[in-house]
Amino acid sequence: NNLLQVILGYTQVLLLNRKKGDPDFAKLKGIEQAGLRASELTKQLLTFSRKVESQLKPVDLNHEILQVEKLLKSTLPKMIDIKLNLDDSLKLVNADPIQVEQVLMNLAVNARDAMPDGGMIIIGTENVFLDDEFCRLHIGAVPGAYVMLTVSDNGQGMDSETLKRIFEPFYSNKDTGKGTGLGLAMVYGIVKNHRGYINCDSEYNSGTT
């Protein structure tokens, strides 16, 4: 990341002396954009490997979802609807609001890509209690009270082979150039960093939760 900052710094210095009509302007902007993308990729890798500390504080997930909903409505295609099923009595959780937003955005982008002809994203919250049986089936899980966040879509869904690999870093079934394969891996890393658990249910042509 330090090397990228040097590349970006020199590029931006060169851009100061160029106007949009300059033949080198577009090339320098291309270098700048590539550097920014590489920097974002590095940030995702650091988050996935838990090298970025979460800034935990009491957070109302419902509030964070309402903020992200505004952003999604302005960025998702108009043929995708957003529905919220939020528990009014939701308990606070210790979380990093920025990383929670990242989780929601990554899941929403995945849902969008699974619904090229439009559809619906449903985001829900609920107070739950993880019992001994759940914890026996999920290694590392600790019984107790939790808040459950669900993000569902009615898109193309996945077959069982794809479902087994979705949280692997760099695994992607999208066309070349249309994804880094880090979106869901990053979601997994953030959830684990918050001492949480993540499950995915999906069937081909039957949507994903």
Side-chain angles (χ1 to χ4, degrees):
N1 219 21
N2 292 340
L3 291 170
L4 288 169
Q5 296 310 311
V6 174
I7 292 168
L8 283 166
Y10 276 118
T11 304
Q12 286 159 0
V13 168
L14 288 168
L15 278 167
L16 289 174
N17 303 316
R18 301 288 193 280
K19 294 182 179 177
K20 286 189 176 180
D22 191 302
D24 289 331
F25 183 86
K27 297 171 187 173
L28 289 167
K29 289 299 286 184
I31 295 171
E32 182 185 44
Q33 288 302 313
L36 290 170
R37 282 199 302 274
S39 183
E40 181 61 31
L41 187 60
T42 302
K43 191 189 303 178
Q44 291 182 7
L45 282 167
L46 289 170
T47 301
F48 178 72
S49 63
R50 304 188 203 180
K51 299 300 183 187
V52 174
E53 287 298 317
S54 300
Q55 303 298 315
L56 302 181
K57 63 181 183 181
V59 167
D60 178 354
L61 275 185
N62 287 348
H63 173 76
E64 299 305 319
I65 290 166
L66 290 170
Q67 297 306 306
V68 170
E69 182 194 23
K70 296 175 187 173
L71 186 58
L72 291 175
K73 281 184 174 178
S74 63
T75 54
L76 292 177
K78 297 300 179 189
M79 69 267 204
I80 293 178
D81 294 320
I82 302 170
K83 181 181 179 182
L84 304 183
N85 290 330
L86 307 182
D87 187 336
D88 292 334
S89 59
L90 200 68
K91 296 175 181 176
L92 297 179
V93 292
N94 268 335
D96 184 323
I98 293 172
Q99 291 188 359
V100 168
E101 178 182 311
Q102 187 74 61
V103 164
L104 287 164
M105 292 300 295
N106 284 11
L107 292 175
V109 165
N110 258 29
R112 176 203 67 192
D113 292 345
M115 300 185 291
D117 300 320
M120 179 176 289
I121 296 173
I122 304 170
I123 303 174
T125 56
E126 184 183 346
N127 294 316
V128 297
F129 187 89
L130 302 188
D131 58 17
D132 291 332
E133 183 180 353
F134 178 93
C135 295
R136 276 198 302 272
L137 297 172
H138 296 80
I139 296 172
V142 179
Y146 291 80
V147 165
M148 180 168 68
L149 166 67
T150 57
V151 179
S152 304
D153 67 65
N154 57 356
Q156 297 168 339
M158 292 173 271
D159 58 36
S160 58
E161 288 305 307
T162 302
L163 189 59
K164 289 176 187 174
R165 302 188 60 189
I166 57 169
F167 296 123
E168 290 180 17
F170 303 113
Y171 175 75
S172 177
N173 58 1
K174 296 175 184 175
D175 294 338
T176 303
K178 290 192 176 180
T180 61
L182 274 174
L184 289 178
M186 190 174 177
V187 167
Y188 182 90
I190 290 172
V191 170
K192 288 297 180 184
N193 218 19
H194 281 70
R195 294 165 61 200
Y197 315 100
I198 184 165
N199 295 316
C200 181
D201 293 316
S202 184
E203 288 185 18
Y204 193 62
N205 286 331
S206 296
T208 300
T209 298

